Amino acid sequence: MWKKKIKKIRNKGYMSIEASLIVPFILLTTFLMILGLLFTYERGHVFSKECERLYTIPIKNIRDKTVADYLNSEDYSKGIVYGELSSMGSYSSHKAKVSSSLIVREEKKISCKREIDQCSNRLRRWQLYDDIAED
């Protein structure tokens, strides 16, 4: 009979330890994971918008040299839920670049760049293979 009383006494503190230590740790971990996923989403969203804008520059803007105006006309902060964003587009010597600064907890730099209408002497793989095929 007193074996049953001993079992009851041993199991009394189990739920209080779980409630006071383990549950807050699980809640904090879940909160940090959601915060990290939110930051990753916002950073990826901004980067994809920058790349989309760089690779859809109309030929008219390239000829008129108004690429920087075209890049700056986009509002990259659409879809940003939690952080603050500032962005700047630039174009000089056939290189277009969009640089953004995303502030969630700390400042992170996001940038994307592209060469436009750049013909150079760089040897491309298909040029090398074409020369070998003719010989």
Side-chain angles (χ1 to χ4, degrees):
M1 174 153 183
W2 66 286
K3 285 186 181 181
K4 289 182 182 179
K5 288 182 181 179
I6 292 175
K7 282 186 180 180
K8 286 183 182 179
I9 293 171
R10 287 185 186 165
N11 293 333
K12 245 183 180 177
Y14 174 72
M15 289 305 287
S16 63
I17 291 174
E18 180 179 332
S20 65
L21 297 177
I22 297 173
V23 172
F25 178 73
I26 291 172
L27 291 175
L28 181 66
T29 305
T30 305
F31 174 73
L32 291 176
M33 286 174 52
I34 291 171
L35 190 64
L37 288 173
L38 184 66
F39 174 70
T40 303
Y41 165 76
E42 289 185 352
R43 188 172 179 200
H45 179 74
V46 170
F47 185 72
S48 68
K49 283 290 198 187
E50 287 178 356
C51 289
E52 179 184 348
R53 193 70 169 178
L54 277 174
Y55 284 94
T56 58
I57 298 172
I59 193 74
K60 180 181 180 285
N61 290 33
I62 295 171
R63 288 184 183 148
D64 296 343
K65 304 223 188 256
T66 58
V67 176
D69 296 334
Y70 174 76
L71 293 174
N72 288 328
S73 67
E74 175 73 18
D75 182 19
Y76 298 102
S77 63
K78 290 180 188 172
I80 297 296
V81 179
Y82 186 69
E84 296 178 19
L85 181 74
S86 61
S87 60
M88 182 67 177
S90 63
Y91 178 71
S92 64
S93 66
H94 301 286
K95 293 180 183 176
K97 182 179 182 179
V98 179
S99 298
S100 299
S101 174
L102 178 65
I103 302 171
V104 176
R105 276 188 59 205
E106 56 190 38
E107 184 176 0
K108 293 290 183 181
K109 301 285 185 186
I110 305 166
S111 65
C112 187
K113 56 187 169 183
R114 172 186 176 214
E115 289 184 5
I116 300 172
D117 286 343
Q118 183 69 20
C119 296
S120 63
N121 295 331
R122 287 182 268 178
L123 187 61
R124 303 219 185 319
R125 189 180 309 148
W126 62 271
Q127 292 171 329
L128 177 66
Y129 293 153
D130 189 38
D131 291 344
I132 292 173
E134 291 176 2
D135 291 339

